[in-house]
Amino acid sequence: MINYSNNKSFSDFISYNISYIKENTKISKYLDIRYIISSREDYLNKLSYSYNWNKYESLINSVELQPFDDNDLQDLSDELKVKINEPDVIIKLSKGLPALIVSYIEYFDLTGSEQIKLQLLDLVVKIILKGIEENQKDWIICSSFLNEFDEKGLRCFNLIGNDYNKAFIFLSNKNSIAESVNGGNKVKIKPVIREFITEYLKETQPEFYNECISIANTYENVKEIVDKFANVELNVIRSFAYFKSFDSEMALEETFKSDLHLAKEVLHNQSECFLKNKCTFTLKPEISEKLDEYNKVVDGQKYEMKKQLVKDSWQKLSEELLKKQNEFSNELEKIKSESSEIDSVAKVLRQEYEKEQSEFLEIENTLIEMRRETLFFTKKSNISAGLICLTLTVILGLITNFFPDFFKDLNSGNKELYNILYISSYTFSILFGILTIVYLIKEINLFTRKDEYKQLQEDINSLEEENNQRQKKMRANKDIRTDSEIKLSEMQLRTKLLESELESIKMKLDEPFI
């Protein structure tokens, strides 16, 4: 109709036959048609309706009805010709809303202000919630306890539950009830409506009112924290708040399962929210404490169930850790006992080896002396030397006997030289004769001591055999000690590994999830 009355021209009519009016003249030039559209919703400011209304922006005059003040109330009283008792009180009770003032005048003026307060509140709440579905009424009632809010605030209320996204969309578009703030990212219920609804609930349902106030306070305390995170990240951070501490393996796997990658991303990307312990991470106390209160209202009955899941997860892990600790402790004690035994045996073997080595060296020294003695019996030079000396004795004896015949010319020519040669030949003949006798005596002596040489040789063979056996024994001793040292080295490595594992288990047990 607006389009018809403002944009139609006379020429658009089939029966147009007016010669004194130009064809393109619009009807609105001659006919002043005005529409009064009354609505609780401000459709002009709704984006979804902007296409329909923007083209008429220059034609529309939007007026928002304001609450009555004292002067307006007096004018109404004069118009209706009625006397209003306690006008200040009625303005305060009705917040200046005309409908409530008229209802007061018509129905409640006969009673005192305190008595009509509840009737007024009941009436205004019915007006506010008129024509709204039951679940949407719950959304409005719950959100009236919040200041500025988004989905994260709405999900605190059990009445809204999993419909918090729908509720936020509904309230964002319901500008008769709520108004957008912070660029449309948040919404708040209009102050007058908030005041009526909360006051009504305070009078009629005090227990529910106190519960909602507590929830609203919880959200206000945590709002600064939850606003930092997107919904997906917030769900992960909230889960971390159930833990006193958590590891990056079992706790995350047990809690997040298929969303494990999201948990690890949050742990990495939001590292400033966590404290790194020896084995685990902890959500910072100033964040954890507030999120724990937030979890209580958001998860409701599931809160204790989730706490129990964390407790069960820690119980499972601690049992596994205690089992490993017991196994590793037993293994460590066994290794220490075995290594002590091996070390004791190795010390005995080392002492035996040193003793055998000492005896081996002593016998070797004895053998050296005994072999030196055998040289006396094995010398073949006595006979050779004796024969040489005997030969020289015979030659020199013959020369001495036949000396005058050989050197007769020298005797007649140089008597002194002749005498010297004669005496020398005679002397050497006697000397070599003596040596021949000495070598003969030695050979006879060796011949008579053959049994002694045989015994000496047998003793040497016996000692050599004894040392050979001792050497084999020492080699076997050394092999055993080498194997023991290798085994001890392996045990030491295993001991260090077990001690490291036990220390790691101890640190994990010292940092429980709950």
Side-chain angles (χ1 to χ4, degrees), residues 460-507:
I460 289 172
N461 292 336
S462 175
L463 290 174
E464 285 178 343
E465 179 63 25
E466 184 180 342
N467 256 12
N468 287 336
Q469 293 299 322
R470 183 172 282 106
Q471 202 168 24
K472 290 179 181 179
K473 189 176 179 181
M474 288 168 62
R475 194 177 295 115
N477 183 307
K478 188 175 182 180
D479 290 341
I480 293 172
R481 285 190 297 112
T482 301
D483 292 341
S484 298
E485 288 171 359
I486 293 172
K487 193 170 183 180
L488 278 172
S489 179
E490 292 174 351
M491 285 181 170
Q492 287 174 353
L493 289 174
R494 181 60 179 167
T495 297
K496 289 181 179 179
L497 179 61
L498 288 172
E499 288 174 345
S500 176
E501 288 291 335
L502 286 169
E503 180 63 24
S504 175
I505 290 172
K506 182 179 179 300
M507 287 191 294

Side-chain angles (χ1 to χ4, degrees), residues 23 76 79 88 91 225 242 298 304 319 339 410 431 434 439 502:
E23 293 183 3
L76 179 62
E79 179 73 23
D88 293 339
I91 287 291
I225 294 174
Y242 279 96
V298 170
E304 291 300 328
E319 287 176 357
S339 62
L410 185 62
L431 178 62
I434 293 170
Y439 282 118
L502 286 169

Side-chain angles (χ1 to χ4, degrees), residues 375-495:
L375 293 176
F376 176 78
F377 295 99
T378 57
K379 286 182 177 179
K380 303 297 183 182
S381 59
N382 288 331
I383 297 175
S384 300
L387 290 173
I388 292 171
C389 290
L390 180 61
T391 302
L392 290 173
T393 300
V394 172
I395 293 171
L396 290 172
L398 290 174
I399 291 173
T400 302
N401 289 329
F402 297 102
F403 192 83
D405 297 330
F406 290 137
F407 300 102
K408 57 185 179 179
D409 294 333
L410 185 62
N411 186 27
S412 57
N414 192 345
K415 191 71 173 175
E416 184 178 355
L417 179 61
Y418 175 82
N419 290 332
I420 291 171
L421 290 173
Y422 179 77
I423 293 170
S424 298
S425 174
Y426 185 75
T427 300
F428 279 110
S429 173
I430 294 171
L431 178 62
F432 283 115
I434 293 170
L435 287 173
T436 301
I437 294 169
V438 170
Y439 282 118
L440 180 62
I441 291 171
K442 282 185 177 182
E443 187 63 28
I444 292 170
N445 186 36
L446 287 174
F447 183 78
T448 58
R449 293 176 63 188
K450 279 185 178 181
D451 292 340
E452 184 181 345
Y453 172 72
K454 185 178 180 181
Q455 183 62 44
L456 181 61
Q457 195 65 41
E458 288 177 357
D459 291 343
I460 289 172
N461 292 336
S462 175
L463 290 174
E464 285 178 343
E465 179 63 25
E466 184 180 342
N467 256 12
N468 287 336
Q469 293 299 322
R470 183 172 282 106
Q471 202 168 24
K472 290 179 181 179
K473 189 176 179 181
M474 288 168 62
R475 194 177 295 115
N477 183 307
K478 188 175 182 180
D479 290 341
I480 293 172
R481 285 190 297 112
T482 301
D483 292 341
S484 298
E485 288 171 359
I486 293 172
K487 193 170 183 180
L488 278 172
S489 179
E490 292 174 351
M491 285 181 170
Q492 287 174 353
L493 289 174
R494 181 60 179 167
T495 297

